[in-house]
């Protein structure tokens, strides 16, 4: 398989991941046209996985299918980024308020492990490992919330936020500050101060939104 697509997980999900990365990075620009045939040939898969990928990316509003003309890149605008992060903030604030009710220490250990992984990745400058641990940290908030529908909504958009983080995190030469932010948020959550936790989470997500906005501005200036 080419372009980072490997046998094992869903081929459609893998094709979607590669295309999503290209769109978020700007390698595929708004208005660019794709075809099922061309994608199937490039990724060396049948049209079934390609259609699965197209369905997912259309749901994420990154592409638009115009039958019979083809598949067109929509890309990301400032408004798209605002919508994504405002949605995430609403979801995650609710998840966090529910997660903070959990007093079983064993259930917090997965988040503690995520923080440990972030600290190790920051110390070694491993951006890829840090991003994976960062996303796992936030996924643990939803897991602790005991709200399957809420967690399902997060999982629907998790691939998009993964691609966004992969773009912005590579501009962070020192990951230590971000690691400390996550430790602080976890400790406040475990301490039970809902108001303070809400403020810290809001600032954290707004910082992520701002970094993506700067990325888009830099891209337009090129």
């Amino acid at each position: 398989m080419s372009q980072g697509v490997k046998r094992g997980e869903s081929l459609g999900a893998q094709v979607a991941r590669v295309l999503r990365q290209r769109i978020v990075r700007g390698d595929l620009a708004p208005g660019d046209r794709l075809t099922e045939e061309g994608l199937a040939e490039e990724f060396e898969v049948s049209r079934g996985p390609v259609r699965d990928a197209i369905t997912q990316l259309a749901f994420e509003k990154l592409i638009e299918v115009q039958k019979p003309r083809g598949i067109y890149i929509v890309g990301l605008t400032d408004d798209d980024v605002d919508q994504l992060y405002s949605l995430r903030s609403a979801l995650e604030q609710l998840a966090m308020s529910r997660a903070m009710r959990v007093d079983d220490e064993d259930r917090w250990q997965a988040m503690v492990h995520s923080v440990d992984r972030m600290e190790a990745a920051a110390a070694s400058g491993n951006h890829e490992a840090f991003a994976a641990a960062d996303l796992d940290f936030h996924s643990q908030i939803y897991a602790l919330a005991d709200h399957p529908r809420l967690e399902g909504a997060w999982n629907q958009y998790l691939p998009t936020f993964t691609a966004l983080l992969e773009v912005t995190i590579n501009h962070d030469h020192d990951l230590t500050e971000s690691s400390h932010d996550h430790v602080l948020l976890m400790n406040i959550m475990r301490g039970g101060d809902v108001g303070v936790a809400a403020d810290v989470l809001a600032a954290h997500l707004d910082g992520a939104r701002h970094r993506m906005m700067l990325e888009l501005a830099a891209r337009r200036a090129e």
Side-chain angles (χ1 to χ4, degrees):
M1 303 293 290
S2 62
Q3 298 297 324
V5 178
K6 301 177 182 179
R7 300 287 178 183
E9 65 174 305
S10 161
L11 292 176
Q14 293 181 68
V15 172
R17 170 175 51 81
V18 175
L19 293 176
R20 186 185 298 109
Q21 289 170 338
R22 292 178 185 174
I23 295 169
V24 172
R25 287 198 308 259
D27 298 338
L28 288 172
D32 286 352
R33 182 176 180 271
L34 306 174
T35 65
E36 286 186 9
E37 181 181 10
L39 292 172
E41 181 178 350
E42 176 185 355
F43 291 102
E44 300 176 8
V45 297
S46 68
R47 291 199 182 190
V50 170
R51 287 170 183 155
D52 290 343
I54 290 168
T55 298
Q56 178 59 31
L57 294 175
F59 167 79
E60 296 174 30
K61 308 300 184 185
L62 295 175
I63 65 171
E64 181 180 2
V65 180
Q66 298 181 7
K67 295 182 179 180
R69 297 175 59 199
I71 305 152
Y72 290 85
I73 303 300
V74 174
L76 287 173
T77 65
D78 289 352
D79 187 53
D80 291 324
V81 173
D82 270 333
Q83 286 186 35
L84 284 165
Y85 278 99
S86 63
L87 173 63
R88 178 174 173 182
S89 181
L91 295 175
E92 207 148 312
Q93 290 284 1
L94 174 57
M96 185 181 66
S97 67
R98 293 176 60 92
M100 290 175 67
R101 304 173 188 174
V102 176
D103 57 10
D104 182 351
E105 284 298 312
D106 289 342
R107 293 194 59 198
W108 287 91
Q109 292 312 299
M111 183 179 287
V112 172
H113 181 56
S114 295
V115 166
D116 290 343
R117 288 163 51 206
M118 271 188 276
E119 290 180 324
S124 64
N126 189 332
H127 288 69
E128 182 178 356
F130 189 94
D134 182 324
L135 291 164
D136 185 57
F137 173 96
H138 289 279
S139 292
Q140 293 306 322
I141 297 176
Y142 293 89
L144 286 165
D146 294 325
H147 192 317
R149 290 178 176 82
L150 183 61
E151 188 173 9
W154 162 245
N155 286 330
Q156 281 186 308
Y157 283 94
L158 179 56
T160 307
F161 284 108
T162 299
L164 294 175
L165 181 59
E166 287 170 350
V167 167
T168 57
I169 198 171
N170 288 319
H171 295 291
D172 295 333
H173 299 294
D174 185 357
L175 299 169
T176 304
E177 183 177 354
S178 182
S179 175
H180 290 167
D181 286 346
H182 287 85
V183 173
L184 173 65
L185 178 57
M186 180 182 69
N187 288 339
I188 292 172
M189 288 176 62
R190 297 181 78 184
D193 193 324
V194 177
V196 174
D199 289 342
V200 171
L201 178 60
H204 178 74
L205 294 180
D206 190 59
R209 182 195 63 81
H210 180 65
R211 287 193 296 275
M212 192 63 213
M213 288 293 200
L214 291 177
E215 176 68 27
L216 290 178
R219 190 180 301 165
R220 286 193 294 265
E222 291 177 353

